[in-house]
């Protein structure tokens, strides 16, 4: 966002603009990249997204990997890479954006999701393992 030129503003030796009321403004530099990406970034992100979608689609449709579990892990790997591509090229997340707060919020969210998913799977696994098995006779005689 550009500010109108203030004829009363002074420039300190540190390159920071000082207005007539003593307020400081960051220097206006035309070469600083804006918060949004360039057309090249969007095209690169789009091409990577298409490739990262087409490869797993081809793997599944042609049955390239015989084991379905391995195929699922490969597809999940491509999905994780595609998430990173979307965050970098379309959401413009990097350690410098918003002073690092975006990245910190992302890391916190990922940690929280991993804890919730791992805890849920752990609880469900142990509930399933520790349940009393029901015989076919007991299943039919439910009151």
């Amino acid at each position: 966002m550009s500010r109108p030129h203030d004829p009363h503003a002074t420039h300190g030796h540190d390159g920071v603009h000082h207005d007539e009321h003593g307020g400081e403004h960051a220097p206006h530099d035309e070469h600083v990249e804006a918060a949004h990406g360039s057309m090249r970034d969007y095209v690169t992100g789009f091409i990577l997204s298409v490739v990262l979608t087409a490869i797993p689609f081809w793997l599944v449709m042609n049955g390239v990997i015989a084991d379905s579990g391995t195929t699922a892990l490969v597809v999940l790997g491509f999905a994780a890479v595609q998430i990173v591509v979307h965050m970098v090229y379309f959401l413009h997340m990097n350690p410098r954006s918003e002073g690092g707060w975006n990245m910190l919020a992302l890391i916190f969210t990922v940690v929280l999701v991993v804890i919730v998913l791992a805890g849920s799977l752990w609880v469900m696994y142990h509930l399933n393992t520790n349940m009393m098995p029901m015989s076919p006779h007991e299943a039919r005689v439910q009151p």
Side-chain angles (χ1 to χ4, degrees):
M1 178 163 71
S2 65
R3 298 179 190 270
H5 179 68
D6 184 1
H8 302 291
T10 60
H11 302 284
H13 66 280
D14 55 0
V16 175
H17 298 271
H18 300 276
D19 63 13
E20 61 186 303
H21 304 292
E24 293 182 355
H25 304 289
H28 182 67
D29 187 1
E30 295 295 330
H31 301 290
V32 174
E33 189 171 324
H36 56 83
S38 66
M39 180 60 87
R40 181 178 181 194
D41 288 338
Y42 286 118
V43 170
T44 303
F46 176 73
I47 291 170
L48 285 172
S49 296
V50 169
V51 168
L52 291 169
T53 300
I55 292 173
F57 183 80
W58 174 76
L59 288 172
V60 171
M61 293 306 289
N62 292 324
V64 175
I65 303 172
D67 183 38
S68 63
T70 305
T71 303
L73 288 175
V74 169
V75 169
L76 285 174
F78 275 102
V81 172
Q82 194 169 71
I83 288 170
V84 172
V85 166
H86 282 251
M87 288 189 317
V88 169
Y89 287 100
F90 299 122
L91 298 178
H92 313 294
M93 291 188 71
N94 58 45
R96 298 178 312 270
S97 66
E98 299 290 332
W101 287 108
N102 280 347
M103 193 60 65
L104 188 64
L106 173 68
I107 291 168
F108 175 74
T109 302
V110 168
V111 168
L112 195 63
V113 166
V114 167
I115 290 171
V116 169
L117 285 175
S120 298
L121 292 172
W122 180 66
V123 167
M124 288 188 287
Y125 171 78
H126 283 282
L127 282 174
N128 185 41
T129 304
N130 296 325
M131 294 275 300
M132 295 284 292
M134 191 179 292
S135 68
H137 175 69
E138 291 172 331
R140 283 184 256 135
V141 186
Q142 289 289 332

